[in-house]
Amino acid sequence: MELKGKRILIVDDEEDLCEILQYNLSSEGYQTEIAHSAEEALKRSPGNFDLVLLDVMMGPISGFKFADKLRKELKIDVPVIFLTAKDTENDILTGFSLGADDYISKPFSVNELTARVKAVLKRSYTDKVNSKAIIQYNGIALDTVRKRLIINDERVELTKKEYEILRTLLENQGIVFSREDLLMRIWGQDVIVTERTVDVNITRLRTKLGQFGSSLKNKTGYGYFFEF
Amino acid sequence: MELKGKRILIVDDEEDLCEILQYNLSSEGYQTEIAHSAEEALKRSPGNFDLVLLDVMMGPISGFKFADKLRKELKIDVPVIFLTAKDTENDILTGFSLGADDYISKPFSVNELTARVKAVLKRSYTDKVNSKAIIQYNGIALDTVRKRLIINDERVELTKKEYEILRTLLENQGIVFSREDLLMRIWGQDVIVTERTVDVNITRLRTKLGQFGSSLKNKTGYGYFFEF
DNA sequence: GGTATTTGTTACTTAATTGTTACAATTTAG
DNA sequence: CTAAATTGTAACAATTAAGTAACAAATACC
């Protein structure tokens, strides 16, 4: 398994800590991005990261609220590791009830951090379809490195948006995503585009999907989903 | 590692050159033996040497034939450096296809000789696997010692950055590297340059790659990758 | 120290992606 | 069955990304 190169979103309002985290994770080969608030984190399309490191004690929206929003409202189930100063059981349980994958209590050592990060990434690798370079579904192969499809031995290049929509739908087959869900997840919090934009991208995807185009289905009034 | 005392077999029909080689290598602390023909060389158990210096232009059995026999028939994979007067790229590539580790073009300086010898001994000591001076991919040969390309029998000099980008992409064909990835990997953690710098270097590389320029591909929104 | 080479920046051009709109087709509700 | 709502989609526009030439800065080399 190749953990290196995985994208990690660091969400913490303490500049210094962020930099320490970033420095250490980078030198381990991970790609990192920093957000100093929940709001900022939402802007960075958290669904596109492999892991989110989240401080629970943070500005107006706490890490807990952010995680809750991520899971329940945005339906993004990216792995999350909480950074918590309060090492109380209650805190920790709250975190896990909100879908955390692990937690680290401050202060923590670099070794501890990288070990947990590695473990969580490994779990999300083995347990989910995630992380493989090419993911196959029925007759469709999605090359997650080159961001393209292989259908009937043919390469079909996908643009960024197309790729992200398709991946989202393929990884969550049968689940209906409203236009808003998709906009939130893929375009991000503050990008303002018409909901119809999704429709157009769906059309384009259907064309590129060829014989499988009709598997990208619409549920009138609700949204889009994938079903072979 | 102790390079001194390593045993080197010199195979060349020119008496004078042999003596010059022997003199210089001895004074560097190597043990040397001389063979004036391929036949003679075979009698000296070439497999028991740490390195063979082999003249390609030589009596009834050419250096190439000797090397071929060594590798294919006798299955001896002692490191070999070719001494070549014919400095054509074709010759050089032939040598490498026969398993050479490096080559030296006549006339050469003593410094060059000892440097190459040392480098090959060191490489073959540290990593048995990737110790060749020239790595070939489809129609592209990358001379990792002299930092240049050989394409269609032509030498193309690469600058450091160009070389490192190309090597990264060639060794990881199909993997898309974002500008940031490349900056991190090649420029390093703390060098601050515009991401567009990568683009410019890519353009320069494409030009130097000639007919293969179009194999250095861009994936809009993601980065660059190599694919024949 | 001066010259050549490499490397980086910028500005501009070209290309690719993404978004909007208008209208057609389909679906739904009554 | 029909009108309203929703979705599909083609054509165009806007935006964003990439290619590249020309110049500037930095570095290496005498």
Side-chain angles (χ1 to χ4, degrees), chain B residues 159-161 187 192-194 196-197 200-201 204 220:
Chain B
T159 68
K160 216 166 175 173
K161 290 283 187 293
W187 276 255
I192 326 163
V193 291
T194 315
R196 301 306 307 282
T197 298
V200 176
N201 277 283
R204 288 171 182 156
T220 307

Side-chain angles (χ1 to χ4, degrees), chain B residues 34 46 70 104 194:
Chain B
I34 292 177
L70 215 57
I104 306 180
T194 315

